[in-house]
């Protein structure tokens, strides 16, 4: 009897000890990782200073289940690079341990990615608190298709919808052709594409913003009136619909298109590496699993081919090419595919310099500007370089807001500022190009 009681007491004590031990162990773990909220996916900003550290972070981003936000590919990580890395909760401990072991300084950029994603995808028609307009929200692919149709129907005098091809998964690629009401013979044109990269949601949002602005302010705002009277404007709101759809349904961090590869299980080609401009040289990858995979051959992807075909058949009228990306706040021009300067480098430099100055003055925001390869990194196979070589000598890529505070997860409340800045830059450049390309009588 006594022994039985004793055994029970001992048992309870054991249990208690075990419990205390477990609590202590967890506490130790917490201390060790310095991370009390590891139930959240995070985005880390990592300061890489030495070559050795660059190696570590490069390997880390490919070994662990993480997503590199910036730069676009591990090979661009060098000494003196600020790296933005998305780390799912289950890998946070391992990743931060590794960083600490190698004396890498890092800070948590975002700890609330799930919340931000929820904010970006919230269907606001069911949320009476929000008074934000349609253009200050992000929209699903279905919404955007619906919007394209409706916009064309409501403005039959100024908008035409052109089907330029279809995506790998057979979704239509629609271009909106905007025209002023003044008939002019031999009209010049501007091309704008958005959403080459699926996760850069502010980009399609800009295309929608721009179309709406053009239609609302034609004959009210002098700049847009002059633009639409002298040029037709072709707008492709979502160049990568399959990828965009995928970011809404499955993986918010997806960048490439969704084509299946013959030699690998990995999905997707980087459409901005698939054009025929020093295709698949340094700065692109021939490995299908990489984020900057160049595809099987130039224009192997139906999305890139459709755009290239359209521009080839309109190359005499299109004077200005513009591709909208995010993030980083940069106004870029060719080349991306080599360190060479284009013949009209000085002229293009002046255009982006002036545009950046206007953004600084009006919105107190700094944009970097310059030739792509020197301003970010070598990136062959880009649409802007290809368009330039086709003969469209005013060719630009804009990287919209921000600089990494929210990165791809820019909250809806920032859409209007990001778009107004880009609009200002676009107007500034377009009006100059109109002067420069005036047809000789
Ligand atoms: N950040 C974008 C990318 O990695 C654009 C880089 C500039 N390259 C270009 N071809 N414009 O594709
Ligand atoms: Zn991009």
């Amino acid at each position: 009897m006594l022994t039985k009681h004793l055994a029970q007491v001992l048992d309870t004590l054991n249990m208690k000890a075990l419990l205390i031990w477990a609590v202590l162990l967890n506490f130790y773990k917490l201390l060790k990782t310095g991370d009390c909220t590891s139930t959240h996916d995070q985005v880390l900003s990592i300061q890489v200073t030495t070559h050795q550290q660059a190696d570590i972070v490069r390997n880390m981003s490919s070994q662990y289940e993480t997503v590199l936000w910036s730069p676009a590919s591990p090979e661009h990580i060098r000494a003196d690079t600020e790296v933005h890395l998305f780390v799912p909760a289950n890998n946070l401990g391992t990743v931060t341990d590794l960083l600490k072991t190698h004396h890498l300084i890092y800070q948590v950029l975002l700890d609330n990615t799930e919340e931000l994603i929820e904010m970006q995808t919230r269907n606001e028609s069911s949320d009476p608190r929000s008074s934000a307009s349609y253009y200050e929200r992000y929209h699903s692919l279905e919404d955007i298709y619906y919007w394209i149709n409706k916009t064309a129907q409501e403005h039959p005098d100024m908008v035409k919808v052109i089907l330029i091809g279809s995506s790998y998964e057979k979704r239509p690629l629609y271009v909106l052709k905007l025209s002023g009401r003044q008939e002019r013979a031999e009209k010049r044109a501007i091309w704008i594409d958005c959403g080459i990269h699926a996760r850069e949601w502010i980009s399609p949002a800009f295309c929608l913003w721009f179309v709406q602005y053009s239609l609302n302010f034609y004959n009210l705002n002098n700049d847009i009136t002059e633009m639409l009277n002298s040029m037709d404007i072709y707008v492709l709101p979502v160049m990568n619909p399959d990828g965009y759809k995928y970011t809404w349904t499955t993986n918010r961090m997806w960048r490439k298109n969704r084509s299946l590869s013959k030699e690998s299980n990995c999905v997707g080609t980087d459409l901005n590496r698939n054009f025929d401009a020093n295709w698949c040289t340094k700065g692109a990858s021939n490995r299908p699993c990489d984020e900057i995979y160049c595809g099987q051959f130039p224009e192997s992807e139906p999305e890139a081919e459709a755009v290239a075909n359209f521009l080839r058949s309109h190359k005499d009228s299109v004077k200005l090419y513009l591709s909208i990306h995010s993030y980083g706040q940069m106004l870029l021009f060719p080349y991306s595919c080599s360190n060479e300067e284009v013949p009209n480098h000085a002229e293009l430099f002046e255009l982006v310099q002036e545009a950046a100055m206007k953004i600084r003055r009006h919105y107190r925001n700094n944009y970097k500007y310059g030739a792509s390869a020197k301003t970010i990194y070598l990136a062959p196979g880009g649409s802007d370089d290809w368009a330039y070589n086709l003969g469209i000598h005013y060719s630009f890529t804009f990287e919209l807001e921000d600089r990494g505070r929210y990165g791809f997860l820019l909250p809806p409340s920032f859409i209007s500022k990001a778009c107004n800045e880009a609009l200002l830059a676009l107007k500034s450049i377009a009006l100059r190009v109109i002067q420069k390309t005036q047809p000789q009588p």
Side-chain angles (χ1 to χ4, degrees):
M1 185 64 192
L2 190 79
T3 45
K4 197 177 167 197
H5 188 70
L6 194 69
Q8 259 177 7
V9 169
L10 277 176
D11 243 20
T12 342
L13 277 178
N14 251 335
M15 279 294 290
K16 271 197 182 145
L18 209 70
L19 210 74
I20 291 170
W21 175 237
V23 168
L24 280 176
L25 201 74
N26 262 323
F27 187 62
Y28 173 71
K29 258 198 198 157
L30 265 176
L31 277 181
K32 219 177 103 209
T33 56
D35 163 45
C36 309
T37 51
S38 57
T39 50
H40 293 295
D41 305 339
Q42 292 189 339
V43 178
L44 306 179
S45 170
I46 306 164
Q47 204 50 59
V48 173
T49 37
T50 66
H51 294 290
Q52 202 190 359
Q53 288 179 333
D55 287 340
I56 306 286
V57 178
R58 222 179 285 130
N59 287 336
M60 192 164 67
S61 71
S62 48
Q63 248 163 42
Y64 300 98
E65 185 202 318
T66 58
V67 184
L68 199 53
W69 272 22
S70 176
S73 160
E75 67 184 69
H76 300 305
I77 299 175
R78 311 258 159 80
D80 285 315
T81 312
E82 186 184 322
V83 173
H84 298 163
L85 188 67
F86 173 85
V87 188
N90 60 320
N91 278 307
L92 261 176
T94 325
V95 167
T96 50
D97 279 353
L98 207 75
L99 291 173
K100 281 171 198 155
T101 310
H102 293 94
H103 307 290
L104 278 142
I105 297 173
Y106 72 93
Q107 77 190 63
V108 178
L109 270 183
L110 298 176
D111 178 48
N112 57 341
T113 56
E114 291 97 337
E115 200 182 309
L116 287 168
I117 292 172
E118 201 274 327
M119 256 162 79
Q120 284 191 320
T121 50
R122 196 177 294 164
N123 177 4
E124 315 243 338
S125 56
S126 62
D127 179 10
R129 282 170 308 169
S130 166
S131 56
S133 83
Y134 186 88
Y135 299 93
E136 288 168 66
R137 286 179 257 146
Y138 296 106
H139 294 281
S140 66
L141 187 64
E142 289 71 22
D143 269 16
I144 294 177
Y145 278 128
Y146 178 82
W147 171 88
I148 289 172
N149 214 336
K150 196 184 58 145
T151 303
Q153 276 174 12
E154 286 174 358
H155 302 269
D157 51 337
M158 290 183 71
V159 181
K160 258 176 55 188
V161 179
I162 306 170
L163 179 68
I164 64 159
S166 54
S167 68
Y168 183 85
E169 292 172 350
K170 300 283 176 267
R171 294 191 174 85
L173 298 169
Y174 291 124
V175 165
L176 295 173
K177 180 185 183 184
L178 311 178
S179 315
R181 297 195 196 94
Q182 281 191 6
E183 278 308 321
R184 288 196 192 169
E186 272 194 62
K187 243 198 187 156
R188 292 164 287 164
I190 299 175
W191 168 275
I192 306 172
D193 58 64
C194 293
I196 287 192
H197 291 137
R199 63 193 178 185
E200 301 167 4
W201 282 12
I202 188 63
S203 170
F206 173 76
C207 265
L208 270 57
W209 183 279
F210 177 76
V211 169
Q212 180 61 16
Y213 178 85
S214 302
L215 299 173
N216 281 350
F217 287 92
Y218 180 67
N219 280 346
L220 288 176
N221 171 278
N222 287 335
D223 295 342
I224 202 70
T225 309
E226 187 181 342
M227 280 166 66
L228 283 163
N229 282 342
S230 0
M231 315 270 256
D232 290 325
I233 307 181
Y234 297 105
V235 181
L236 172 56
V238 189
M239 177 162 160
N240 176 11
D242 302 345
Y244 189 70
K245 168 97 192 172
Y246 195 68
T247 59
W248 274 78
T249 58
T250 314
N251 179 358
R252 179 64 188 83
M253 304 307 156
W254 193 257
R255 166 182 168 94
K256 301 185 281 182
N257 77 347
R258 294 291 303 164
S259 70
L260 303 179
S261 128
K262 287 194 186 95
E263 72 238 52
S264 145
N265 286 328
C266 287
V267 176
T269 293
D270 185 343
L271 295 177
N272 213 30
R273 301 290 181 282
N274 191 235
F275 285 79
D276 198 2
N278 290 357
W279 178 79
C280 219
T281 53
K282 192 172 183 298
S285 164
N286 56 9
R287 292 180 300 267
C289 297
D290 290 355
E291 294 282 27
I292 53 169
Y293 174 49
C294 59
Q296 286 212 317
F297 49 88
E299 294 176 32
S300 58
E301 306 309 299
E303 299 86 355
E305 189 192 17
V307 170
N309 279 339
F310 184 87
L311 288 172
R312 267 189 290 264
S313 63
H314 293 75
K315 73 184 169 88
D316 295 330
S317 60
V318 176
K319 302 298 177 197
L320 169 57
Y321 172 91
L322 177 59
S323 193
I324 305 288
H325 291 251
S326 78
Y327 56 90
Q329 296 179 195
M330 289 181 256
L331 309 178
L332 306 167
F333 58 83
Y335 284 122
S336 274
C337 65
S338 95
N339 284 310
E340 241 176 83
E341 280 188 1
V342 292
N344 63 337
H345 175 93
E347 188 186 20
L348 297 180
F349 189 85
E350 238 172 65
L351 290 176
V352 289
Q353 185 175 45
E354 184 187 22
M357 186 196 63
K358 288 184 183 167
I359 292 177
R360 204 176 322 120
R361 235 201 274 130
H362 280 81
Y363 298 101
R364 297 168 185 233
N365 209 1
N366 280 317
Y367 275 62
K368 279 199 206 169
Y369 49 87
S372 261
K374 288 176 201 153
T375 312
I376 355 180
Y377 39 63
L378 271 177
S383 58
D384 50 357
D385 286 355
W386 177 83
Y388 185 92
N389 288 342
L390 183 70
I392 305 172
H393 288 157
Y394 300 98
S395 176
F396 302 88
T397 291
F398 288 1
E399 298 272 1
L400 305 199
E401 286 201 22
D402 56 15
R403 283 235 166 110
R405 170 75 187 82
Y406 295 104
F408 303 119
L409 303 183
L410 194 72
S413 55
F414 289 75
I415 293 177
S416 74
K417 179 157 174 285
C419 289
N420 276 321
E421 287 170 359
L423 176 66
L424 183 61
L426 167 54
K427 280 180 175 182
S428 170
I429 291 173
L431 292 172
R432 288 263 181 252
V433 171
I434 289 171
Q435 293 167 351
K436 287 166 181 286
T437 59
Q438 210 67 256
Q440 301 304 317

